[in-house]
Amino acid sequence: MNNSTVLIKMVFDRWNNAIKNCDDLLNALSDEVLMKQIAPGKNRGIYLLGHLIAVHDDMLRFLELGEARYPELHDPFHHKPDNVATPMPSVAELREIWKEQCREQSDRFASLSEGQWFEKHTAVSSEDFAKEPHRNKLNIILNRTTHLAYHTGQIQLLKA
Amino acid sequence: MNNSTVLIKMVFDRWNNAIKNCDDLLNALSDEVLMKQIAPGKNRGIYLLGHLIAVHDDMLRFLELGEARYPELHDPFHHKPDNVATPMPSVAELREIWKEQCREQSDRFASLSEGQWFEKHTAVSSEDFAKEPHRNKLNIILNRTTHLAYHTGQIQLLKA
């Protein structure tokens, strides 16, 4: 196994592990608990779940794997802060979307070849990429893994 | 730049970014605020700061870069859950240790060659490593980056 193969595996092991940790946690929390704030005056569980879906939805575009699938979730869960007055899907609906998204993204990520993971992502210009080859598609996975871990640490606080 | 060089840079960019995010956050919180629980009945800020130091202290051994520097912090902040009755250093003392640790680890990490990052870490046997070459030293950095992000997301809740 060469170093590139090893490193792609390392990054995806981390990503898959972070997804599993979050998924296990969500499964351990009731819909009712996810409607609560993680701490007084802070985001609700439902907002963080929707936020993760919205941020992950943007990954497809960065990776040239298609358009956003859930554009209607970007405004309430990404562009806007949590607000009980914002219309949003139910926790049950978001759970279904989360599961479907995890499944679909896992399939799509598997469609990229090793070489493609080292190609530039769409948020960087060809000129900048020539100077900064680390701004590749694999870096999107790495970046979103720490984002996912950050918010999983917060959702964890809803556990009794 | 070959793929290994690029990937080592990607992993260290994430690690350094996660350290900076946590450091900026700690600097924005007073000692008094860090004595508070991040949510009712949950860990205090001081415990999470000590926990990060204790977990990072173990990295040296895994990376064959020396012995733990702060063994006295492993028990109160890693082996034991948070407890107001546990004797522990002050927030001011932990801040100093955190800064010194970040500085020292940055120097020590820089001393490893590219090839050394792909060597096995000390928690894996040579037999297992032959089958699982992703269990290398660089993977320790990757793994601790998500751990750091997870707890930074929690400490963030202390911010007004």
Side-chain angles (χ1 to χ4, degrees):
Chain A
M1 229 192 277
N2 68 39
N3 286 350
S4 301
T5 312
V6 168
L7 276 157
I8 289 175
K9 178 175 168 49
M10 282 163 60
V11 172
F12 273 97
D13 278 0
R14 278 296 99 208
W15 168 256
N16 291 328
N17 188 269
I19 287 282
K20 188 181 183 309
N21 284 346
C22 187
D23 200 47
D24 288 349
L25 175 58
L26 292 171
N27 288 334
L29 300 171
S30 69
D31 291 11
E32 196 185 351
V33 165
L34 282 166
M35 288 307 290
K36 294 186 180 167
Q37 291 179 332
I38 53 169
K42 304 295 179 179
N43 291 323
R44 288 173 298 163
I46 185 175
Y47 179 82
L48 292 175
L49 172 55
H51 177 70
L52 288 173
I53 294 170
V55 168
H56 294 181
D57 198 34
D58 255 346
M59 292 169 76
L60 295 178
R61 194 164 43 83
F62 289 128
L63 298 172
E64 295 180 283
L65 286 172
E67 291 305 308
R69 294 287 311 273
Y70 312 104
E72 71 282 7
L73 302 184
H74 293 220
D75 198 53
F77 294 116
H78 196 184
H79 307 144
K80 283 184 184 156
D82 190 13
N83 187 332
V84 290
T86 305
M88 49 178 70
S90 68
V91 171
E93 286 165 328
L94 289 173
R95 284 185 195 275
E96 282 310 307
I97 295 172
W98 164 260
K99 276 193 204 108
E100 172 59 23
Q101 181 184 56
C102 289
R103 197 161 37 226
E104 189 186 359
Q105 293 205 332
S106 173
D107 288 347
R108 295 210 186 187
F109 293 166
S111 75
L112 287 193
S113 69
E114 198 173 295
Q116 284 175 309
W117 286 110
F118 291 96
E119 290 173 2
K120 78 176 199 68
H121 59 67
T122 61
V124 61
S125 70
S126 300
E127 293 70 33
D128 287 344
F129 185 65
K131 287 172 285 185
E132 302 175 305
H134 61 280
R135 298 175 72 179
N136 53 44
K137 294 193 164 93
L138 193 60
N139 214 23
I140 297 289
I141 305 291
L142 199 51
N143 194 299
R144 295 314 180 274
T145 302
T146 50
H147 177 263
L148 173 55
Y150 181 96
H151 290 301
T152 301
Q154 298 180 327
I155 299 171
Q156 178 71 33
L157 299 174
L158 289 174
K159 224 168 161 187
Chain B
M1 230 191 279
N2 68 38
N3 286 349
S4 301
T5 312
V6 168
L7 277 157
I8 289 174
K9 178 175 167 48
M10 283 163 60
V11 172
F12 273 98
D13 278 0
R14 277 299 96 210
W15 168 257
N16 291 328
N17 187 270
I19 288 281
K20 187 181 182 311
N21 284 347
C22 187
D23 200 47
D24 288 349
L25 176 58
L26 291 171
N27 288 334
L29 300 171
S30 68
D31 291 10
E32 195 185 350
V33 165
L34 281 166
M35 289 306 290
K36 294 186 179 166
Q37 291 179 332
I38 54 170
K42 304 295 180 180
N43 292 323
R44 290 172 297 163
I46 185 176
Y47 178 83
L48 291 175
L49 171 54
H51 177 71
L52 289 173
I53 295 170
V55 168
H56 293 181
D57 197 34
D58 255 346
M59 292 170 76
L60 294 178
R61 195 163 43 83
F62 289 129
L63 299 172
E64 295 180 283
L65 286 172
E67 290 305 308
R69 293 287 311 272
Y70 312 104
E72 70 282 7
L73 302 183
H74 294 219
D75 198 54
F77 294 116
H78 196 185
H79 307 145
K80 283 184 183 158
D82 190 12
N83 187 332
V84 290
T86 304
M88 49 177 72
S90 68
V91 171
E93 286 165 327
L94 289 173
R95 285 186 195 275
E96 282 310 306
I97 294 173
W98 164 259
K99 276 193 203 104
E100 172 60 22
Q101 180 183 57
C102 289
R103 197 161 38 227
E104 188 186 1
Q105 293 205 332
S106 173
D107 288 348
R108 294 211 185 187
F109 294 166
S111 75
L112 288 193
S113 70
E114 200 174 292
Q116 284 175 308
W117 285 111
F118 291 96
E119 291 172 0
K120 79 175 199 67
H121 59 68
T122 61
V124 61
S125 70
S126 301
E127 294 70 36
D128 286 345
F129 185 65
K131 288 172 284 184
E132 302 175 306
H134 61 280
R135 298 174 71 179
N136 54 44
K137 294 193 164 97
L138 192 61
N139 213 24
I140 297 289
I141 305 291
L142 198 52
N143 194 299
R144 295 312 180 275
T145 302
T146 50
H147 176 263
L148 173 55
Y150 181 96
H151 290 302
T152 302
Q154 298 181 328
I155 299 170
Q156 177 70 36
L157 300 173
L158 289 174
K159 223 168 161 186

